[in-house]
Amino acid sequence: MTDRPHRDFLAIPDFSTLELTKLFDLAERMRRGEYTSKPIAGKTLAMIFMKASTRTRVSFEVGTYQLGGHALFLSPRDVQLGRGEPIADTARVLSRYVDGIMIRTFAHAEVEELARYADVPVINGLTDLVHPCQVLADLLTVRQTFGSIEGRKIAWIGDGNNMANSWINAAFRLGFELALACPEGYEPNADLLERARAHAKITLTRDPREAVTGAHVVNTDVWASMGQEEEQTKRERDFTGYTVDESLMQRASSDAIFLHCLPAHRGEEVAAEVIDGPRSKVWDEAENRLHVQKAIMAVLMGGEKLT
Ligand code: CP
Ligand code: NVA
């Protein structure tokens, strides 16, 4: 281990409020095609995927290439981590070859351990606890739609999962109003919620109609996340009444947008009429993964400043 001259991105609060604003400015320049630098030319990103992915894998790989670098896709079938090689050893070895590591895995503690032993920046591409790159992309979409995040009410309907926890972390840093509706037993992480409540108006209810009332952004996600597939039937029962459909959307602000990190299950957490309807911004949201992650890599691996 070194004295860590670099920084990681494991969760949204790893950036300060000011840094997040600057990061969105940089990502927005990238989105508009105004940023053409190659700050990671000659550098390599290792991408460890212990779970499946479409968006995260492709957007990181394409983003690395667009910034002048190269990305390596590593699945548990390919690397010894899948056969029990310790995370600490993997971190130390990869650090001798690559300039950054992105990881998607189960336990958040594994990502923290990887970061502790790596001598290069580590980026969280989703854990059971949080999905920070996704919520930054969602926030960029809110900015793109409304001009700013300030003064917007965000509603979260459904599972208090990694996405809900990252929205709570975002409210902690950015101070917007967040209304969550989750069934009993599916609440978000209590510690993250408590920390954020000192900095933002956050409500937790069982009633989706209450949460969406007046919201500018209505968000949901699958009822069974990766690794919870065997709970699907029980969850379908427990989440009855939590489908985001047109009648629920009508309680939101007249200019409200719908977001979903994808993949989506039409007819479960969201009705097709909503995700495929005029208020849905899910394709912009998916595109914005590319822009925010490029901004993160340019800062962590390429020397871009957030000042
Ligand atoms: N939203 C998201 O992270 O998608 P993937 O699982 O396809 O990467
Ligand atoms: N909550 C979902 C998000 C997928 C991008 C999961 O963890 O599977």
Side-chain angles (χ1 to χ4, degrees):
M1 268 194 287
T2 65
D3 55 359
R4 303 191 61 73
H6 58 275
R7 59 189 298 190
D8 305 308
F9 180 57
L10 307 191
I12 288 175
D14 290 351
F15 288 119
S16 69
T17 305
L18 180 66
E19 285 175 331
L20 285 170
T21 306
K22 299 280 181 189
L23 192 79
F24 291 133
D25 290 344
L26 181 59
E28 181 62 22
R29 281 171 58 211
M30 290 172 168
R31 189 180 76 76
R32 290 171 190 237
E34 294 165 6
Y35 183 97
T36 51
S37 308
K38 307 280 183 206
I40 61 169
K43 295 192 173 180
T44 301
L45 176 76
M47 308 189 299
I48 303 173
F49 281 95
M50 306 303 280
K51 291 175 174 174
S53 170
T54 297
R55 281 144 288 268
T56 306
R57 189 240 165 119
V58 176
S59 55
F60 266 107
E61 188 161 338
V62 170
T64 307
Y65 171 73
Q66 290 181 356
L67 293 176
H70 175 70
L72 283 176
F73 174 71
L74 307 172
S75 86
R77 273 195 297 271
D78 309 313
V79 293
Q80 301 285 12
L81 196 57
R83 294 179 56 247
E85 182 168 13
I87 290 192
D89 292 0
T90 305
R92 289 183 278 219
V93 170
L94 287 180
S95 298
R96 299 292 175 107
Y97 304 130
V98 304
D99 306 283
I101 306 170
M102 187 246 96
I103 179 166
R104 164 171 288 195
T105 191
F106 294 86
H108 190 72
E110 289 177 12
V111 175
E112 291 179 334
E113 189 180 354
L114 186 83
R116 199 155 57 244
Y117 288 94
D119 294 327
V120 296
V122 171
I123 301 171
N124 181 355
L126 179 147
T127 63
D128 291 343
L129 183 68
V130 286
H131 194 4
C133 292
Q134 179 68 55
V135 171
L136 291 192
D138 298 3
L139 288 162
L140 188 65
T141 314
V142 174
R143 238 179 81 139
Q144 185 184 341
T145 307
F146 295 109
S148 76
I149 298 155
E150 218 184 338
R152 301 291 155 189
K153 177 183 174 183
I154 314 286
W156 176 267
I157 310 302
D159 194 12
N161 63 12
N162 43 12
M163 283 293 300
N165 290 335
S166 285
W167 273 106
I168 290 168
N169 275 344
F172 167 60
R173 275 287 183 249
L174 300 174
F176 53 78
E177 182 180 353
L178 178 63
L180 303 119
C182 308
E184 196 177 349
Y186 297 96
E187 294 84 4
N189 181 280
D191 294 337
L192 297 183
L193 187 59
E194 191 189 318
R195 178 177 69 171
R197 273 185 158 153
H199 299 265
K201 182 181 175 198
I202 306 183
T203 56
L204 179 58
T205 169
R206 305 270 175 240
D207 183 358
R209 288 168 304 181
E210 187 187 322
V212 300
T213 299
H216 302 95
V217 181
V218 179
N219 255 294
T220 189
D221 188 10
V222 289
W223 291 338
S225 284
M226 288 182 275
Q228 299 171 333
E229 289 81 3
E230 74 289 351
E231 297 174 27
Q232 177 70 27
T233 312
K234 175 177 167 26
R235 284 170 173 261
E236 279 175 29
R237 267 199 315 273
D238 293 346
F239 284 84
T240 302
Y242 281 77
T243 302
V244 177
D245 57 16
E246 201 46 54
S247 75
L248 194 63
M249 286 301 290
Q250 269 170 22
R251 292 176 173 263
S253 173
S254 57
D255 56 354
I257 60 169
F258 172 77
L259 296 180
H260 190 310
C261 63
L262 306 175
H265 294 174
R266 287 169 176 78
E268 291 183 28
E269 76 275 6
V270 61
E273 63 194 1
V274 172
I275 193 167
D276 299 319
R279 295 177 190 238
S280 174
K281 293 283 179 195
V282 298
W283 314 123
D284 288 338
E285 181 186 6
E287 178 189 322
N288 284 337
R289 292 292 301 278
L290 175 67
H291 309 307
V292 293
Q293 290 161 196
K294 280 172 68 181
I296 292 165
M297 288 191 285
V299 171
L300 267 50
M301 296 167 62
E304 278 288 349
K305 297 277 180 280
L306 292 177
T307 47

